[in-house]
Amino acid sequence: MQAAIHLYGEMGHNKTTVADIARHLSMSSANVYRFFPSRRAIEEAVVQEVLEEAVSAATEAARGSGPVLRRLAAILKAIADCNEARPAKHRRLQDLLTLAVRQNWTVVLTYDDRIRGLVRPIIGTGQARGELQGGSPMALTCCLLEAMDVHLNPSRVGAATLRPSFDEMLGFCKGALRLTPFLQPAGMTARVQLKAVG
């Protein structure tokens, strides 16, 4: 798998054959097929390995303490940073990741589930503490991740020419999630205050 990552990064996944990977490892193609039944299996393993970096970073960020919005911001920032760093680290893997996301490979769906699994309980905790608005924690999780998709989706790195910055989008999402006190019309507030004085 590491050999495939290296070769995909140098040549691109379309130009890399199983024979190239085998040659890089000084073994036969038949030996590679003992571990991976197909070229697609190798590609899936590579995508899983790359996405695991983001999951690990997000999991570490989720262990923090403090206000829920700060913890959510740390998770999202960890994922966005992994995505932004990837083109420099794995130059030509972006095409493979884009293909995997567009075709809904199982490894991508599993990755999405794991990220939702990190975020949802934190949102539930925020609701229980009165920090976040009510509603279904899963629905709020999906809304948050969808809104931040341009920064979180591994296939969209650098894709949009005009987009809000990470901090701008995060600020918008925090405002949408934060529980705000019920605001009464100004006239009603004045009447309540007069009644309290009287």
Side-chain angles (χ1 to χ4, degrees), residues 51-84 86 111-126 132 141 144-145 148 151-153 166-167 170 174 177:
L51 294 179
E52 189 60 37
E53 292 176 12
V55 172
S56 296
T59 301
E60 185 61 33
R63 292 192 180 110
S65 58
V68 163
L69 286 173
R70 186 185 305 158
R71 292 176 65 198
L72 290 172
I75 291 170
L76 301 179
K77 181 72 171 137
I79 297 169
D81 286 349
C82 284
N83 286 339
E84 291 298 326
R86 187 177 305 113
Y111 163 79
D112 290 342
D113 284 343
R114 291 176 71 188
I115 297 301
R116 282 191 293 267
L118 281 174
V119 172
R120 188 194 55 74
I122 295 174
I123 286 181
T125 298
L132 303 183
T141 296
L144 172 62
L145 296 177
M148 294 296 298
H151 296 285
L152 304 182
N153 188 321
F166 177 86
D167 290 334
L170 182 63
K174 282 182 174 181
L177 287 171

Short mmCIF file of all heavy atoms in Angstrom, two decimals, residues 51-84 86 111-126 132 141 144-145 148 151-153 166-167 170 174 177:
data_model
loop_
_atom_site.label_atom_id
_atom_site.label_comp_id
_atom_site.label_asym_id
_atom_site.label_seq_id
_atom_site.Cartn_x
_atom_site.Cartn_y
_atom_site.Cartn_z
N LEU A 51 -7.44 8.99 3.97
CA LEU A 51 -8.55 9.52 4.77
C LEU A 51 -8.34 9.28 6.25
O LEU A 51 -8.84 10.03 7.09
CB LEU A 51 -9.88 8.92 4.30
CG LEU A 51 -10.33 9.30 2.90
CD1 LEU A 51 -11.66 8.62 2.57
CD2 LEU A 51 -10.45 10.81 2.74
N GLU A 52 -7.62 8.22 6.57
CA GLU A 52 -7.36 7.90 7.98
C GLU A 52 -6.59 9.02 8.67
O GLU A 52 -6.74 9.24 9.87
CB GLU A 52 -6.60 6.57 8.08
CG GLU A 52 -6.47 6.04 9.50
CD GLU A 52 -7.81 5.78 10.17
OE1 GLU A 52 -8.76 5.32 9.50
OE2 GLU A 52 -7.91 6.04 11.40
N GLU A 53 -5.77 9.73 7.91
CA GLU A 53 -5.04 10.86 8.49
C GLU A 53 -6.01 11.90 9.03
O GLU A 53 -5.83 12.42 10.13
CB GLU A 53 -4.14 11.51 7.43
CG GLU A 53 -2.98 10.64 6.97
CD GLU A 53 -2.17 11.30 5.87
OE1 GLU A 53 -2.37 12.51 5.61
OE2 GLU A 53 -1.33 10.60 5.27
N ALA A 54 -7.06 12.19 8.26
CA ALA A 54 -8.05 13.18 8.69
C ALA A 54 -8.86 12.66 9.87
O ALA A 54 -9.15 13.41 10.81
CB ALA A 54 -8.98 13.55 7.53
N VAL A 55 -9.23 11.38 9.83
CA VAL A 55 -9.99 10.81 10.95
C VAL A 55 -9.17 10.85 12.23
O VAL A 55 -9.68 11.20 13.30
CB VAL A 55 -10.43 9.36 10.63
CG1 VAL A 55 -11.05 8.70 11.85
CG2 VAL A 55 -11.42 9.34 9.47
N SER A 56 -7.90 10.49 12.14
CA SER A 56 -7.04 10.51 13.33
C SER A 56 -6.90 11.91 13.90
O SER A 56 -6.98 12.11 15.12
CB SER A 56 -5.65 9.96 12.98
OG SER A 56 -5.73 8.61 12.61
N ALA A 57 -6.70 12.89 13.02
CA ALA A 57 -6.58 14.28 13.47
C ALA A 57 -7.88 14.76 14.11
O ALA A 57 -7.86 15.42 15.16
CB ALA A 57 -6.19 15.18 12.31
N ALA A 58 -9.01 14.41 13.50
CA ALA A 58 -10.31 14.82 14.04
C ALA A 58 -10.60 14.13 15.38
O ALA A 58 -11.13 14.75 16.30
CB ALA A 58 -11.42 14.50 13.04
N THR A 59 -10.23 12.87 15.48
CA THR A 59 -10.44 12.13 16.73
C THR A 59 -9.63 12.74 17.85
O THR A 59 -10.11 12.89 18.99
CB THR A 59 -10.06 10.65 16.53
OG1 THR A 59 -10.85 10.09 15.49
CG2 THR A 59 -10.27 9.85 17.81
N GLU A 60 -8.40 13.12 17.56
CA GLU A 60 -7.55 13.77 18.56
C GLU A 60 -8.16 15.10 18.99
O GLU A 60 -8.21 15.43 20.17
CB GLU A 60 -6.14 13.98 17.99
CG GLU A 60 -5.15 14.53 18.98
CD GLU A 60 -4.91 13.63 20.19
OE1 GLU A 60 -4.97 12.39 20.04
OE2 GLU A 60 -4.67 14.18 21.28
N ALA A 61 -8.65 15.86 18.03
CA ALA A 61 -9.27 17.16 18.34
C ALA A 61 -10.54 16.99 19.17
O ALA A 61 -10.85 17.82 20.02
CB ALA A 61 -9.57 17.91 17.05
N ALA A 62 -11.26 15.89 18.94
CA ALA A 62 -12.52 15.65 19.67
C ALA A 62 -12.29 15.38 21.14
O ALA A 62 -13.20 15.51 21.95
CB ALA A 62 -13.26 14.47 19.04
N ARG A 63 -11.07 15.00 21.51
CA ARG A 63 -10.77 14.68 22.91
C ARG A 63 -10.64 15.91 23.79
O ARG A 63 -10.54 15.81 24.99
CB ARG A 63 -9.48 13.87 22.99
CG ARG A 63 -9.60 12.49 22.39
CD ARG A 63 -8.40 11.62 22.75
NE ARG A 63 -8.57 10.31 22.15
CZ ARG A 63 -7.85 9.84 21.15
NH1 ARG A 63 -6.89 10.58 20.61
NH2 ARG A 63 -8.07 8.64 20.66
N GLY A 64 -10.62 17.08 23.18
CA GLY A 64 -10.46 18.31 23.95
C GLY A 64 -11.64 18.55 24.87
O GLY A 64 -12.66 17.86 24.83
N SER A 65 -11.49 19.55 25.71
CA SER A 65 -12.57 19.91 26.63
C SER A 65 -12.92 21.37 26.38
O SER A 65 -12.35 22.02 25.52
CB SER A 65 -12.12 19.69 28.08
OG SER A 65 -10.96 20.45 28.35
N GLY A 66 -13.87 21.85 27.15
CA GLY A 66 -14.28 23.24 27.02
C GLY A 66 -15.60 23.36 26.31
O GLY A 66 -16.31 22.36 26.09
N PRO A 67 -15.96 24.58 25.90
CA PRO A 67 -17.24 24.80 25.23
C PRO A 67 -17.37 23.93 23.98
O PRO A 67 -16.41 23.70 23.27
CB PRO A 67 -17.20 26.29 24.86
CG PRO A 67 -16.21 26.89 25.80
CD PRO A 67 -15.19 25.82 26.07
N VAL A 68 -18.58 23.49 23.74
CA VAL A 68 -18.85 22.57 22.63
C VAL A 68 -18.49 23.20 21.28
O VAL A 68 -17.91 22.53 20.43
CB VAL A 68 -20.33 22.13 22.68
CG1 VAL A 68 -20.76 21.53 21.36
CG2 VAL A 68 -20.52 21.11 23.79
N LEU A 69 -18.81 24.46 21.09
CA LEU A 69 -18.49 25.09 19.81
C LEU A 69 -16.99 25.14 19.56
O LEU A 69 -16.54 25.01 18.43
CB LEU A 69 -19.09 26.50 19.75
CG LEU A 69 -20.62 26.55 19.56
CD1 LEU A 69 -21.13 27.97 19.67
CD2 LEU A 69 -21.03 25.94 18.22
N ARG A 70 -16.21 25.28 20.62
CA ARG A 70 -14.75 25.26 20.47
C ARG A 70 -14.28 23.87 20.07
O ARG A 70 -13.40 23.71 19.22
CB ARG A 70 -14.07 25.69 21.76
CG ARG A 70 -12.55 25.82 21.61
CD ARG A 70 -11.87 26.12 22.92
NE ARG A 70 -12.43 27.30 23.55
CZ ARG A 70 -12.34 27.55 24.87
NH1 ARG A 70 -11.74 26.69 25.66
NH2 ARG A 70 -12.85 28.64 25.36
N ARG A 71 -14.88 22.84 20.64
CA ARG A 71 -14.51 21.47 20.29
C ARG A 71 -14.90 21.14 18.86
O ARG A 71 -14.12 20.53 18.12
CB ARG A 71 -15.18 20.48 21.25
CG ARG A 71 -14.64 20.55 22.68
CD ARG A 71 -15.41 19.62 23.59
NE ARG A 71 -15.19 18.23 23.22
CZ ARG A 71 -15.98 17.23 23.61
NH1 ARG A 71 -17.04 17.47 24.36
NH2 ARG A 71 -15.72 16.01 23.25
N LEU A 72 -16.08 21.56 18.45
CA LEU A 72 -16.50 21.34 17.07
C LEU A 72 -15.57 22.06 16.10
O LEU A 72 -15.18 21.51 15.07
CB LEU A 72 -17.94 21.81 16.86
CG LEU A 72 -19.04 20.98 17.54
CD1 LEU A 72 -20.38 21.68 17.42
CD2 LEU A 72 -19.09 19.58 16.96
N ALA A 73 -15.21 23.29 16.43
CA ALA A 73 -14.30 24.05 15.58
C ALA A 73 -12.96 23.34 15.44
O ALA A 73 -12.37 23.30 14.35
CB ALA A 73 -14.10 25.46 16.15
N ALA A 74 -12.47 22.76 16.54
CA ALA A 74 -11.18 22.05 16.51
C ALA A 74 -11.24 20.83 15.59
O ALA A 74 -10.30 20.56 14.83
CB ALA A 74 -10.77 21.65 17.92
N ILE A 75 -12.36 20.11 15.64
CA ILE A 75 -12.53 18.93 14.77
C ILE A 75 -12.54 19.34 13.30
O ILE A 75 -11.83 18.78 12.47
CB ILE A 75 -13.83 18.19 15.12
CG1 ILE A 75 -13.73 17.54 16.49
CG2 ILE A 75 -14.17 17.13 14.06
CD1 ILE A 75 -15.05 16.99 17.01
N LEU A 76 -13.34 20.33 12.99
CA LEU A 76 -13.47 20.78 11.60
C LEU A 76 -12.16 21.34 11.08
O LEU A 76 -11.77 21.10 9.93
CB LEU A 76 -14.59 21.80 11.48
CG LEU A 76 -15.99 21.33 11.93
CD1 LEU A 76 -17.00 22.45 11.79
CD2 LEU A 76 -16.43 20.10 11.15
N LYS A 77 -11.45 22.09 11.92
CA LYS A 77 -10.17 22.67 11.52
C LYS A 77 -9.14 21.57 11.26
O LYS A 77 -8.35 21.66 10.31
CB LYS A 77 -9.68 23.62 12.62
CG LYS A 77 -8.38 24.31 12.31
CD LYS A 77 -8.56 25.37 11.24
CE LYS A 77 -7.30 26.21 11.10
NZ LYS A 77 -6.94 26.48 9.72
N ALA A 78 -9.15 20.53 12.08
CA ALA A 78 -8.21 19.42 11.90
C ALA A 78 -8.42 18.75 10.54
O ALA A 78 -7.46 18.44 9.82
CB ALA A 78 -8.36 18.41 13.03
N ILE A 79 -9.69 18.54 10.18
CA ILE A 79 -9.99 17.92 8.88
C ILE A 79 -9.59 18.84 7.74
O ILE A 79 -8.96 18.42 6.76
CB ILE A 79 -11.49 17.57 8.79
CG1 ILE A 79 -11.88 16.55 9.86
CG2 ILE A 79 -11.84 17.04 7.39
CD1 ILE A 79 -13.37 16.35 10.01
N ALA A 80 -9.96 20.12 7.85
CA ALA A 80 -9.64 21.08 6.79
C ALA A 80 -8.13 21.20 6.60
O ALA A 80 -7.65 21.27 5.47
CB ALA A 80 -10.25 22.44 7.11
N ASP A 81 -7.38 21.20 7.70
CA ASP A 81 -5.92 21.29 7.60
C ASP A 81 -5.33 20.07 6.89
O ASP A 81 -4.41 20.21 6.08
CB ASP A 81 -5.30 21.43 8.99
CG ASP A 81 -5.51 22.82 9.59
OD1 ASP A 81 -5.94 23.74 8.86
OD2 ASP A 81 -5.24 22.98 10.79
N CYS A 82 -5.87 18.89 7.18
CA CYS A 82 -5.41 17.67 6.48
C CYS A 82 -5.68 17.78 4.99
O CYS A 82 -4.82 17.42 4.16
CB CYS A 82 -6.10 16.43 7.05
SG CYS A 82 -5.45 15.90 8.64
N ASN A 83 -6.85 18.26 4.63
CA ASN A 83 -7.19 18.40 3.22
C ASN A 83 -6.29 19.42 2.52
O ASN A 83 -5.85 19.20 1.39
CB ASN A 83 -8.66 18.80 3.05
CG ASN A 83 -9.61 17.66 3.33
OD1 ASN A 83 -9.23 16.50 3.28
ND2 ASN A 83 -10.84 17.98 3.64
N GLU A 84 -6.03 20.53 3.19
CA GLU A 84 -5.20 21.57 2.59
C GLU A 84 -3.76 21.12 2.42
O GLU A 84 -3.08 21.48 1.47
CB GLU A 84 -5.26 22.85 3.43
CG GLU A 84 -6.59 23.57 3.40
CD GLU A 84 -6.99 24.04 2.02
OE1 GLU A 84 -6.11 24.43 1.23
OE2 GLU A 84 -8.19 24.02 1.71
N ARG A 86 -2.74 18.03 1.93
CA ARG A 86 -2.60 16.83 1.10
C ARG A 86 -1.97 17.09 -0.27
O ARG A 86 -1.08 16.33 -0.67
CB ARG A 86 -3.95 16.14 0.93
CG ARG A 86 -3.84 14.79 0.21
CD ARG A 86 -5.17 14.08 0.12
NE ARG A 86 -5.76 13.93 1.42
CZ ARG A 86 -6.87 14.55 1.81
NH1 ARG A 86 -7.51 15.35 0.97
NH2 ARG A 86 -7.36 14.38 3.01
N TYR A 111 -15.79 6.64 5.88
CA TYR A 111 -15.13 7.85 6.39
C TYR A 111 -16.19 8.88 6.81
O TYR A 111 -16.11 9.45 7.91
CB TYR A 111 -14.22 8.41 5.30
CG TYR A 111 -13.79 9.84 5.51
CD1 TYR A 111 -12.76 10.15 6.41
CD2 TYR A 111 -14.39 10.88 4.81
CE1 TYR A 111 -12.36 11.47 6.60
CE2 TYR A 111 -13.99 12.19 4.99
CZ TYR A 111 -12.98 12.49 5.88
OH TYR A 111 -12.58 13.78 6.08
N ASP A 112 -17.18 9.11 5.95
CA ASP A 112 -18.25 10.07 6.27
C ASP A 112 -18.97 9.66 7.56
O ASP A 112 -19.27 10.51 8.40
CB ASP A 112 -19.25 10.16 5.12
CG ASP A 112 -18.68 10.84 3.89
OD1 ASP A 112 -17.65 11.55 4.01
OD2 ASP A 112 -19.24 10.66 2.79
N ASP A 113 -19.26 8.37 7.70
CA ASP A 113 -19.93 7.87 8.91
C ASP A 113 -19.09 8.12 10.16
O ASP A 113 -19.61 8.49 11.21
CB ASP A 113 -20.22 6.37 8.79
CG ASP A 113 -21.40 6.07 7.88
OD1 ASP A 113 -22.19 7.00 7.60
OD2 ASP A 113 -21.53 4.90 7.44
N ARG A 114 -17.80 7.92 10.03
CA ARG A 114 -16.91 8.11 11.19
C ARG A 114 -16.85 9.57 11.61
O ARG A 114 -16.85 9.88 12.81
CB ARG A 114 -15.52 7.57 10.88
CG ARG A 114 -15.50 6.05 10.75
CD ARG A 114 -14.14 5.55 10.36
NE ARG A 114 -13.18 5.69 11.45
CZ ARG A 114 -11.87 5.47 11.31
NH1 ARG A 114 -11.37 5.10 10.13
NH2 ARG A 114 -11.07 5.60 12.34
N ILE A 115 -16.82 10.47 10.64
CA ILE A 115 -16.80 11.90 10.98
C ILE A 115 -18.12 12.30 11.63
O ILE A 115 -18.14 13.01 12.65
CB ILE A 115 -16.52 12.77 9.73
CG1 ILE A 115 -15.14 12.45 9.15
CG2 ILE A 115 -16.64 14.25 10.06
CD1 ILE A 115 -13.97 12.65 10.09
N ARG A 116 -19.23 11.84 11.06
CA ARG A 116 -20.53 12.12 11.70
C ARG A 116 -20.57 11.53 13.10
O ARG A 116 -21.12 12.15 14.03
CB ARG A 116 -21.68 11.55 10.86
CG ARG A 116 -22.04 12.39 9.64
CD ARG A 116 -23.34 11.94 9.00
NE ARG A 116 -23.22 10.61 8.41
CZ ARG A 116 -22.90 10.38 7.15
NH1 ARG A 116 -22.65 11.38 6.33
NH2 ARG A 116 -22.82 9.14 6.69
N GLY A 117 -19.99 10.35 13.27
CA GLY A 117 -19.96 9.72 14.58
C GLY A 117 -19.15 10.49 15.61
O GLY A 117 -19.40 10.38 16.81
N LEU A 118 -18.18 11.27 15.17
CA LEU A 118 -17.41 12.13 16.08
C LEU A 118 -18.19 13.38 16.45
O LEU A 118 -18.17 13.82 17.60
CB LEU A 118 -16.10 12.55 15.41
CG LEU A 118 -14.94 11.57 15.40
CD1 LEU A 118 -13.79 12.14 14.57
CD2 LEU A 118 -14.47 11.27 16.80
N VAL A 119 -18.87 13.95 15.47
CA VAL A 119 -19.53 15.25 15.67
C VAL A 119 -20.86 15.12 16.40
O VAL A 119 -21.17 15.92 17.29
CB VAL A 119 -19.72 15.94 14.30
CG1 VAL A 119 -20.57 17.20 14.43
CG2 VAL A 119 -18.36 16.27 13.68
N ARG A 120 -21.66 14.10 16.06
CA ARG A 120 -23.02 14.00 16.61
C ARG A 120 -23.07 13.99 18.14
O ARG A 120 -23.85 14.73 18.74
CB ARG A 120 -23.74 12.77 16.05
CG ARG A 120 -25.22 12.73 16.42
CD ARG A 120 -25.82 11.36 16.17
NE ARG A 120 -25.12 10.29 16.81
CZ ARG A 120 -25.15 10.04 18.13
NH1 ARG A 120 -25.88 10.79 18.92
NH2 ARG A 120 -24.47 9.04 18.64
N PRO A 121 -22.25 13.16 18.84
CA PRO A 121 -22.36 13.18 20.30
C PRO A 121 -21.94 14.51 20.93
O PRO A 121 -22.45 14.88 21.99
CB PRO A 121 -21.43 12.04 20.75
CG PRO A 121 -20.66 11.61 19.56
CD PRO A 121 -21.35 12.13 18.35
N ILE A 122 -21.04 15.22 20.28
CA ILE A 122 -20.63 16.52 20.82
C ILE A 122 -21.77 17.51 20.69
O ILE A 122 -22.03 18.31 21.60
CB ILE A 122 -19.35 17.01 20.11
CG1 ILE A 122 -18.19 16.07 20.45
CG2 ILE A 122 -19.01 18.44 20.52
CD1 ILE A 122 -16.91 16.35 19.71
N ILE A 123 -22.47 17.46 19.57
CA ILE A 123 -23.65 18.31 19.41
C ILE A 123 -24.71 17.94 20.45
O ILE A 123 -25.32 18.81 21.07
CB ILE A 123 -24.21 18.22 17.97
CG1 ILE A 123 -23.28 19.00 17.03
CG2 ILE A 123 -25.65 18.74 17.89
CD1 ILE A 123 -23.71 19.03 15.59
N GLY A 124 -24.91 16.64 20.67
CA GLY A 124 -25.86 16.21 21.70
C GLY A 124 -25.47 16.73 23.08
O GLY A 124 -26.33 17.16 23.86
N THR A 125 -24.17 16.71 23.38
CA THR A 125 -23.69 17.24 24.66
C THR A 125 -23.97 18.73 24.76
O THR A 125 -24.39 19.23 25.81
CB THR A 125 -22.17 16.98 24.81
OG1 THR A 125 -21.93 15.58 24.81
CG2 THR A 125 -21.62 17.59 26.08
N GLY A 126 -23.73 19.44 23.66
CA GLY A 126 -24.00 20.88 23.65
C GLY A 126 -25.46 21.20 23.87
O GLY A 126 -25.81 22.17 24.56
N LEU A 132 -26.28 24.68 22.66
CA LEU A 132 -26.70 24.62 21.27
C LEU A 132 -28.21 24.52 21.18
O LEU A 132 -28.87 24.05 22.12
CB LEU A 132 -26.08 23.41 20.56
CG LEU A 132 -24.56 23.30 20.56
CD1 LEU A 132 -24.12 22.09 19.76
CD2 LEU A 132 -23.91 24.56 20.00
N THR A 141 -25.90 17.73 12.86
CA THR A 141 -24.58 17.24 12.42
C THR A 141 -24.49 17.28 10.91
O THR A 141 -23.51 17.79 10.34
CB THR A 141 -24.35 15.80 12.93
OG1 THR A 141 -24.31 15.81 14.36
CG2 THR A 141 -23.05 15.23 12.40
N LEU A 144 -24.33 20.89 9.63
CA LEU A 144 -23.01 21.48 9.87
C LEU A 144 -21.98 20.97 8.87
O LEU A 144 -21.26 21.75 8.24
CB LEU A 144 -22.56 21.17 11.29
CG LEU A 144 -21.12 21.56 11.65
CD1 LEU A 144 -20.92 23.07 11.53
CD2 LEU A 144 -20.77 21.07 13.05
N LEU A 145 -21.92 19.66 8.70
CA LEU A 145 -20.93 19.08 7.80
C LEU A 145 -21.20 19.44 6.34
O LEU A 145 -20.28 19.65 5.55
CB LEU A 145 -20.87 17.56 7.98
CG LEU A 145 -20.40 17.10 9.36
CD1 LEU A 145 -20.44 15.58 9.46
CD2 LEU A 145 -19.01 17.62 9.68
N MET A 148 -20.06 23.03 5.78
CA MET A 148 -18.60 23.15 5.77
C MET A 148 -17.95 22.28 4.69
O MET A 148 -16.73 22.19 4.61
CB MET A 148 -18.05 22.73 7.14
CG MET A 148 -18.43 23.64 8.30
SD MET A 148 -17.77 25.32 8.16
CE MET A 148 -16.01 25.02 8.19
N HIS A 151 -14.75 22.89 2.67
CA HIS A 151 -13.47 22.80 3.37
C HIS A 151 -13.19 21.39 3.89
O HIS A 151 -12.04 21.07 4.21
CB HIS A 151 -13.44 23.79 4.53
CG HIS A 151 -13.51 25.22 4.10
ND1 HIS A 151 -12.43 25.87 3.53
CD2 HIS A 151 -14.52 26.10 4.10
CE1 HIS A 151 -12.78 27.11 3.23
NE2 HIS A 151 -14.05 27.27 3.56
N LEU A 152 -14.22 20.56 4.01
CA LEU A 152 -14.06 19.24 4.61
C LEU A 152 -14.00 18.11 3.60
O LEU A 152 -13.42 17.07 3.88
CB LEU A 152 -15.21 18.97 5.60
CG LEU A 152 -15.43 19.98 6.71
CD1 LEU A 152 -16.56 19.52 7.61
CD2 LEU A 152 -14.17 20.20 7.51
N ASN A 153 -14.63 18.29 2.45
CA ASN A 153 -14.71 17.22 1.46
C ASN A 153 -13.33 17.01 0.83
O ASN A 153 -12.76 17.93 0.25
CB ASN A 153 -15.73 17.61 0.38
CG ASN A 153 -16.01 16.49 -0.59
OD1 ASN A 153 -15.13 15.75 -0.98
ND2 ASN A 153 -17.27 16.39 -0.98
N PHE A 166 -12.42 29.47 5.68
CA PHE A 166 -12.81 28.51 6.72
C PHE A 166 -13.40 29.26 7.91
O PHE A 166 -14.45 28.89 8.43
CB PHE A 166 -11.60 27.68 7.15
CG PHE A 166 -11.91 26.73 8.27
CD1 PHE A 166 -12.43 25.47 8.01
CD2 PHE A 166 -11.70 27.11 9.61
CE1 PHE A 166 -12.74 24.60 9.05
CE2 PHE A 166 -12.01 26.24 10.64
CZ PHE A 166 -12.53 24.98 10.36
N ASP A 167 -12.72 30.32 8.35
CA ASP A 167 -13.19 31.06 9.54
C ASP A 167 -14.54 31.73 9.29
O ASP A 167 -15.38 31.77 10.19
CB ASP A 167 -12.15 32.10 9.96
CG ASP A 167 -10.90 31.45 10.54
OD1 ASP A 167 -11.00 30.32 11.07
OD2 ASP A 167 -9.82 32.07 10.47
N LEU A 170 -17.13 28.92 9.31
CA LEU A 170 -17.28 28.42 10.68
C LEU A 170 -18.06 29.40 11.54
O LEU A 170 -18.92 28.99 12.33
CB LEU A 170 -15.91 28.14 11.29
CG LEU A 170 -15.93 27.55 12.71
CD1 LEU A 170 -16.60 26.18 12.71
CD2 LEU A 170 -14.52 27.46 13.26
N LYS A 174 -21.42 28.50 13.53
CA LYS A 174 -21.53 28.68 14.99
C LYS A 174 -22.77 29.49 15.33
O LYS A 174 -23.50 29.17 16.27
CB LYS A 174 -20.28 29.39 15.52
CG LYS A 174 -19.07 28.53 15.68
CD LYS A 174 -17.93 29.37 16.26
CE LYS A 174 -16.72 28.55 16.57
NZ LYS A 174 -15.64 29.39 17.16
N LEU A 177 -25.82 27.32 15.05
CA LEU A 177 -25.93 26.26 16.05
C LEU A 177 -26.17 26.81 17.46
O LEU A 177 -26.82 26.14 18.28
CB LEU A 177 -24.66 25.41 16.09
CG LEU A 177 -24.42 24.46 14.93
CD1 LEU A 177 -23.03 23.85 15.02
CD2 LEU A 177 -25.47 23.36 14.92
#
